[in-house]
Amino acid sequence: MAVSRTRAAVYARRRKRRMSRSTHDLSDAQWAALVEAWGGCAYCGAIERSLQRDCVLAISRGGRYTLLNVVPACGSCNASKCNDEVTSWLRRKRLDERAFLLRHHEIGRDLASRFAADAPGE
C-alpha cells in the first residue's frame, strides 16, 4: 500500500508519533470538572459554543493531555492558538493574560487537590 505524502497525511503521522510518546492521563471526570469550573471558553469566555480540549502547552512543544495542562476552548480560539505559546497568543489577541493565568492556576490547584483526594490508595 502506498503511503500518502500530502501535507495533511504527513502532519497526521507526525502528530500520531508525538501522541504515542507521551502519557495522557486526563480522565472524562477531570474534563467534565474543568468544563464546569471554567464555565465556557477559558480564553474568550464564550458559553454558547461547543468546547474542545486545548493544551496550554501545545503537544508539539512537549505538552500532554493532563489536568493541569488542558483548558476548555471554543473552536475559534483553539484553531487560532494552534501551537503558539499561550501568553504571546493572548497578548496578540488582546485578551487578559493576567486574568487567564490567575484563573488557570486557581482552577488547576483546586481540581488537583480534589482529584488527589479521590485517588484510590492515597
Side-chain angles (χ1 to χ4, degrees), residues 26-39:
L26 184 70
S27 69
D28 291 338
Q30 290 171 333
W31 171 244
L34 278 167
V35 170
E36 182 182 336
W38 282 97

Side-chain angles (χ1 to χ4, degrees), residues 11 14-22 24 59-60:
Y11 177 75
R14 191 177 306 151
R15 179 176 170 80
K16 185 176 180 180
R17 281 193 304 269
R18 269 196 309 267
M19 294 288 286
S20 68
R21 282 187 231 137
S22 298
H24 305 282
I59 291 171
S60 63

Side-chain angles (χ1 to χ4, degrees), residues 42-107:
Y43 303 122
C44 70
I47 56 174
E48 296 299 321
R49 298 180 183 167
S50 64
L51 299 174
Q52 304 171 355
R53 299 173 191 206
D54 182 50
C55 290
V56 175
L57 176 64
I59 291 171
S60 63
R61 295 176 180 256
R64 301 177 308 133
Y65 284 106
T66 62
L67 181 62
L68 298 177
N69 190 46
V70 171
V71 296
C74 65
S76 176
C77 286
N78 196 4
S80 172
K81 181 178 162 281
C82 192
N83 69 341
D84 290 346
E85 198 274 325
V86 71
T87 54
S88 62
W89 177 79
L90 287 166
R91 280 185 220 126
R92 190 172 67 248
K93 291 301 238 177
R94 295 196 171 119
L95 296 170
D96 192 348
E97 173 187 357
R98 185 172 193 273
F100 168 79
L101 293 174
L102 286 172
R103 189 144 187 243
H104 180 255
H105 175 74
E106 291 168 359
I107 289 172

